[in-house]
Amino acid sequence: DGGITQSPKYLFRKEGQNVTLSCEQNLNHDAMYWYRQDPGQGLRLIYYSQIVNDFQKGDIAEGYSVSREKKESFPLTVTSAQKNPTAFYLCASSMGQLAYEQYFGPGTRLTVT
Amino acid sequence: GEDVEQSLFLSVREGDSSVINCTYTDSSSTYLYWYKQEPGAGLQLLTYIFSNMDMKQDQRLTVLLNKKDKHLSLRIADTQTGDSAIYFCAVPRANNLFFGTGTRLTVIP
């Protein structure tokens, strides 16, 4: 079955540690996205990538980093510089530029204490 | 910049109709989307409407678009307990989508 997978579902880290969230898709989509979801704030765009080896900052990129070495994969690293990292993180993909229909993974809930 | 506004909460009785509203600021949007998020899950694309349409019906779902007022609504007929979720409207912005805050729909049995 085609789809987007995120792992793990739940992640716990101590403050000061970097952590990497995985996102893989087998839909052959060119574009991939990372969002952060906090209660009452909807989805906020962290980073997006329209093509392999290229990515752009979204609205809240500070304290995060990404890479896009393969079409299928778009990992997100939450660094120790992110002041409030505890959140629900969602990865999405779409066919490509101007293809606005996005498909979402199941999400990763990150808790940092 | 782009802004998309939704009410945060809506409660309806099972069997009634639900109407979820959304207002947006960018008038250049071509498609407008509705997504559904069940507890602890990702978002699922429910339906969309092209900006030159006023209405789109898909089984129990009706989308209404008032382009002049920049107002989008999603009507769910015969609302069921399984419809309890957060509903997001989304509008295109540059190379991605801009999402509203989401409306949490609670269906009372």
Side-chain angles (χ1 to χ4, degrees), chain B:
Chain B
E2 180 63 72
D3 193 21
V4 179
E5 295 199 354
Q6 299 179 241
S7 299
L8 288 180
F9 302 100
L10 176 65
S11 291
V12 299
R13 293 211 171 269
E14 190 174 12
D16 288 349
S17 292
S18 307
V19 180
I20 301 169
N21 294 303
C22 171
T23 57
Y24 59 96
T25 55
D26 185 359
S27 60
S28 65
S29 302
T30 50
Y31 288 93
L32 298 103
Y33 297 86
W34 283 103
Y35 282 83
K36 176 184 181 182
Q37 184 183 33
E38 297 187 357
L43 274 67
Q44 168 195 354
L45 179 63
L46 263 186
T47 188
Y48 62 90
I49 188 167
F50 191 54
S51 59
N52 68 352
M53 297 170 66
D54 297 323
M55 185 180 86
K56 178 181 178 183
Q57 188 150 1
D58 184 0
Q59 299 182 337
R60 290 191 299 122
L61 304 178
T62 303
V63 180
L64 295 177
L65 175 60
N66 182 328
K67 205 172 175 186
K68 174 174 166 290
D69 294 338
K70 298 179 186 174
H71 183 265
L72 182 71
S73 68
L74 173 70
R75 179 177 179 269
I76 306 172
D78 187 24
T79 311
Q80 302 298 307
T81 54
D83 294 323
S84 291
I86 302 176
Y87 292 81
F88 293 91
C89 67
V91 301
R93 173 190 65 172
N95 296 326
N96 51 75
L97 285 177
F98 192 87
F99 288 83
T101 53
T103 299
R104 182 181 294 276
L105 174 64
T106 300
V107 181
I108 304 163

Side-chain angles (χ1 to χ4, degrees), chain A residues 11-26:
Chain A
L11 194 51
F12 299 88
R13 280 293 183 271
K14 293 288 186 188
E15 204 173 303
Q17 294 178 333
N18 291 355
V19 59
T20 297
L21 281 60
S22 166
C23 177
E24 304 277 330
Q25 55 98 1
N26 60 4

Side-chain angles (χ1 to χ4, degrees), chain A residues 1 7 17-18 25 30 36 44 63 68 72 84 92 104:
Chain A
D1 282 333
S7 61
Q17 294 178 333
N18 291 355
Q25 55 98 1
D30 284 319
R36 171 184 171 134
R44 291 183 289 168
R68 188 84 188 278
E72 303 80 14
N84 296 298
F104 283 79

